[in-house]
Amino acid sequence: MSDDIYREIILDHYRNPRNKGKLENADVTVHDSNPLCGDEIDIHLKVDGGVIRDVKFEGKGCAISQASASMLTELVMGKDLDVIKDLKKEDILENIGLTNLGPARIKCALLSLKVLKVGMVKYYSENDPKSAEQIKNESSLY
Amino acid sequence: MQRSVVNSYELRNDFPILKKKINGKELVYLDNASTTQKPYSVINSITDFYSNYNSNIHRAVYQLAEEATTLYEQSREKIANFISVRPEEIVFTRNTTESINLIAHSWARTNLKKDDGIAISELEHHSNIVPWQILSQEIGTRLEYVGIDENGFLDLEHLIELISSKKVKLVSLSHMSNVLGTIVPIERIIKIAHENDIPVMVDGAQSVPHMPVNVKNMDCDFLVFSAHKMLGPTGVGVLYAKKEFLEKMRPFMGGGDMIKEVFKFHTNYNEVPYKFEAGTPNIADVVGFGAAIDYLKKIGMENIRKHEIDLTEYALDSILSINHLTVYGPRDPNYRGGVISFNIADIHPHDLATIMNDHGIAIRSGHHCAQVLMQRLDVPATSRASFYIYNTKEEIDKFVNAIKEAGRIFKI
Ligand SMILES: Cc1ncc(COP(=O)(O)O)c(C=O)c1O
């Protein structure tokens, strides 16, 4: 149970988050919080030529939400926006190795993906409204 | 081990839910400040009402309706008796929150004016903050916060200054904090406020269920609390107000039951308390609340308070010995209720609650609807364990062991 959740790797990302901080000249910055827990995540993206050139996050909250955000930044760094557009809940839960969380804690794990998707919508809505609509419609996170 | 005044081991048999298993373990329910469990007598009284008495009240002359009306009004009498007031001073609402909103709407809106101050404290639940903020936006009243010291006690000097300088025209305070457990010296505050002709509203959501509260001695002008936090059903709250206040207050909602005569363009309102109970009320649950009051009276509120002091002392002694653990609020169990808020090292309260759940232990984690207090304590969240009559020292041992287990999992 909890031993399977709070594995070494989760605690490591919680205590030593990767890509944490602000990003100067970010193209997109998005913030969201989980009203139940008060978990908070900000994601900053630098995008160029359809590729995420840099990503950083800021946040506070439980080990699951913060480790998940840290691992998400590693996952998307240098990736094509098209690939990220298709990221699903399941991909994230697999990425962090937590596939049997209860409904309350799943929200913690997925907060950073939700913020990232909002960021993508924000980015696309300026130059590619169709993709923005598509992410909105496909994403059950909204 | 000294025998407690309340035999919680025996009492537990009255609560069917306490037999439930969570993750194969016996449920250890430590979220009583949020809501309490219900004994058979309460559950059965609701079933009995729907099986044998169900009908609308105050409206029909047939026997069933008379019986239902009698049961509903008997509950009102029981509750009035429980806090030593008159039945016509008891208004049924949905919960504490609705009761405070009723006061803001029906009393404060007409009796306060622009720039009048309303004194509340940093301890308040959102339900004793937000209605006053809304009022302030609408009519220009001002909120005056009374601070707390590092032990969670009110800054009485500041409060007295606010009162005697007539800066505030209403004092609205939680009697017992739902986060720190702090018991506020409310009788002293009321006496000083009244010397200055300032009315006092008491949020008794945490005090009325856990200690003797006698309005005749306390002399507050308003007292509010919720049935579901004292063994009763959800959906029933109480507003007590002195009769002379109720009589002068505007109605809260308009409709059936709250009227005496309705004409095309005006209405004569019913007498108190009916003027404030528009529409069909939550009859069955009010009856259930009466059964909860009977149950509490049988145990005795003095005994319940003693039992909780005993448990709180035991729990504080145990958890304060855990490394890297911080407890918020007063240390002396005589000045606090059975509510313990804490944090341990860098374990977030939600992670702690998840680990507790493995052991069948239900504790609360988060801001407890008291974000102003969280800001004052400078923490995003706390874990909170809160006790009631059916909790035992064995359960506290399990709780303490689970905290230590969390420390092991988080490698601290
Ligand atoms: C001190 C205090 N005031 C008010 C409330 C609100 O009670 P309710 O949710 O029943 O309206 C609570 C309960 O959470 C409380 O602890």
Side-chain angles (χ1 to χ4, degrees):
Chain A
M1 289 186 285
S2 287
D3 278 301
D4 305 328
I5 298 177
Y6 301 104
R7 288 164 300 123
E8 195 73 47
I9 182 157
I10 298 280
L11 294 183
D12 181 38
H13 276 268
Y14 176 49
R15 293 196 168 124
N16 311 297
R18 323 294 197 263
N19 304 310
K20 187 150 181 190
K22 270 200 168 62
L23 198 55
E24 296 303 324
N25 317 320
D27 296 307
V28 192
T29 288
V30 199
H31 167 91
D32 201 3
S33 63
N34 176 345
L36 172 74
C37 308
D39 291 344
E40 285 184 43
I41 300 278
D42 284 83
I43 289 186
H44 311 279
L45 296 173
K46 190 131 196 53
V47 186
D48 186 23
V51 172
I52 293 193
R53 298 291 175 193
D54 203 359
V55 50
K56 280 203 188 310
F57 86 99
E58 297 171 274
K60 48 184 190 204
C62 66
I64 297 178
S65 71
Q66 302 305 305
S68 171
S70 167
M71 290 158 109
L72 181 70
T73 60
E74 287 192 321
L75 182 74
V76 303
M77 182 76 80
K79 292 262 160 64
D80 238 62
L81 287 183
D82 279 343
V83 178
I84 294 162
K85 209 168 67 180
D86 295 332
L87 273 182
K88 304 257 170 323
K89 282 199 254 191
E90 294 71 25
D91 301 327
I92 296 304
L93 297 175
E94 234 157 72
N95 183 46
I96 60 175
L98 297 177
T99 45
N100 50 6
L101 289 173
R105 302 316 304 276
I106 270 197
K107 290 212 175 73
C108 305
L110 295 179
L111 178 61
S112 50
L113 177 65
K114 184 176 165 202
V115 175
L116 179 68
K117 293 258 171 165
V118 174
M120 301 276 290
V121 171
K122 207 166 149 187
Y123 177 77
Y124 277 123
S125 59
E126 277 162 31
N127 38 33
D128 184 359
K130 244 173 78 192
S131 290
E133 261 319 289
Q134 186 201 340
I135 300 174
K136 260 194 195 165
N137 293 337
E138 280 176 7
S139 173
S140 55
L141 295 163
Y142 278 93
Chain B
M1 206 184 285
Q2 193 194 328
R3 263 266 153 264
S4 176
V5 281
V6 172
N7 189 346
S8 36
Y9 293 92
E10 207 174 293
L11 277 181
R12 295 176 68 82
N13 293 321
D14 296 337
F15 293 80
I17 206 169
L18 297 178
K19 299 196 176 70
K20 189 178 162 116
K21 296 272 193 299
I22 306 281
N23 289 316
K25 310 262 171 43
E26 268 173 53
L27 168 64
V28 175
Y29 185 77
L30 300 178
D31 193 16
N32 293 288
S34 183
T35 198
T36 59
Q37 300 304 343
K38 323 302 176 200
Y40 279 116
S41 64
V42 169
I43 299 168
N44 292 345
S45 77
I46 296 168
T47 311
D48 183 46
F49 179 81
Y50 283 126
S51 309
N52 297 307
Y53 302 101
N54 182 51
S55 56
N56 214 326
I57 55 168
H58 300 312
R59 289 178 191 180
V61 294
Y62 51 85
Q63 181 179 331
L64 210 53
E66 281 181 353
E67 286 170 353
T69 303
T70 303
L71 284 171
Y72 182 84
E73 291 305 325
Q74 271 173 356
S75 269
R76 195 192 306 275
E77 279 166 32
K78 284 176 190 177
I79 291 147
N81 191 276
F82 187 71
I83 57 169
S84 304
V85 301
R86 288 178 282 173
E88 64 267 31
E89 295 173 314
I90 297 289
V91 174
F92 287 120
T93 60
R94 280 189 308 133
N95 47 38
T96 300
T97 304
E98 185 171 298
S99 298
I100 298 176
N101 277 276
L102 194 160
I103 298 167
H105 180 90
S106 298
W107 183 82
R109 192 179 298 268
T110 38
N111 286 276
L112 301 183
K113 54 181 195 313
K114 189 169 175 329
D115 293 331
D116 283 349
I118 299 168
I120 62 174
S121 81
E122 289 177 337
L123 291 173
E124 305 311 322
H125 187 278
H126 292 163
S127 61
N128 192 27
I129 299 177
V130 185
W132 307 121
Q133 290 177 341
I134 294 173
L135 186 74
S136 295
Q137 280 155 14
E138 287 173 358
I139 68 167
T141 47
R142 281 178 306 104
L143 271 180
E144 297 280 355
Y145 278 92
V146 178
I148 53 168
D149 67 16
E150 65 278 13
N151 295 313
F153 290 116
L154 282 196
D155 180 354
L156 281 183
E157 247 171 65
H158 183 212
L159 177 57
I160 291 168
E161 205 270 319
L162 284 173
I163 292 171
S164 50
S165 66
K166 308 266 155 93
K167 261 192 172 154
V168 297
K169 294 285 164 19
L170 172 69
V171 173
S172 186
L173 293 175
S174 170
H175 192 185
M176 183 196 287
S177 162
N178 68 318
V179 179
L180 304 182
T182 314
I183 297 172
V184 169
I186 201 74
E187 290 180 19
R188 203 176 135 208
I189 294 168
I190 292 168
K191 191 161 167 281
I192 297 167
H194 284 178
E195 283 164 9
N196 290 276
D197 292 322
I198 295 165
V200 180
M201 129 70 211
V202 178
D203 175 354
Q206 295 298 336
S207 60
V208 175
H210 298 279
M211 59 196 261
V213 172
N214 182 319
V215 173
K216 219 192 276 160
N217 296 341
M218 193 159 95
D219 197 33
C220 56
D221 303 283
F222 303 99
L223 173 72
V224 296
F225 52 100
S226 295
H228 70 94
K229 291 184 196 286
M230 46 196 297
L231 309 182
T234 51
V236 179
V238 171
L239 162 67
Y240 156 81
K242 282 182 179 157
K243 194 170 179 185
E244 59 265 35
F245 278 76
L246 281 180
E247 280 177 338
K248 287 192 207 124
M249 279 158 61
R250 287 181 4 179
F252 183 41
M253 289 188 259
D257 266 2
M258 55 79 70
I259 53 93
K260 195 165 260 166
E261 294 171 293
V262 177
F263 304 95
K264 254 191 175 163
F265 300 105
H266 77 281
T267 289
N268 294 329
Y269 304 126
N270 205 339
E271 354 182 297
V272 300
Y274 308 108
K275 183 167 108 184
F276 299 101
E277 292 180 5
T280 302
N282 189 350
I283 307 167
D285 290 318
V286 164
V287 173
F289 188 21
I293 296 285
D294 291 340
Y295 191 97
L296 290 172
K297 280 193 105 158
K298 209 172 67 201
I299 301 170
M301 295 311 291
E302 284 288 353
N303 291 334
I304 291 174
R305 174 73 187 128
K306 280 194 198 124
H307 172 70
E308 289 182 19
I309 289 176
D310 201 29
L311 283 182
T312 305
E313 187 162 33
Y314 184 77
L316 282 174
D317 281 350
S318 308
I319 70 170
L320 281 169
S321 69
I322 299 174
N323 280 338
H324 310 293
L325 190 141
T326 310
V327 170
Y328 307 98
R331 286 298 139 83
D332 185 341
N334 291 299
Y335 295 99
R336 53 136 66 233
V339 181
I340 300 181
S341 275
F342 63 98
N343 269 317
I344 171 165
D346 68 346
I347 308 181
H348 191 278
H350 283 95
D351 296 316
L352 184 68
T354 292
I355 295 169
M356 289 269 165
N357 188 57
D358 289 352
H359 301 267
I361 302 170
I363 62 160
R364 187 63 174 276
S365 50
H367 53 59
H368 319 293
C369 294
Q371 287 186 317
V372 170
L373 179 57
M374 294 295 121
Q375 289 150 20
R376 167 65 179 82
L377 299 174
D378 198 20
V379 293
T382 71
S383 296
R384 179 185 75 183
S386 51
F387 313 130
Y388 213 16
I389 50 174
Y390 35 69
N391 290 123
T392 65
K393 289 184 179 166
E394 271 71 9
E395 288 184 311
I396 289 172
D397 292 341
K398 287 183 190 174
F399 160 68
V400 170
N401 286 334
I403 300 177
K404 291 179 179 160
E405 167 75 4
R408 184 190 65 70
I409 290 176
F410 267 75
K411 305 189 169 50
I412 45 179

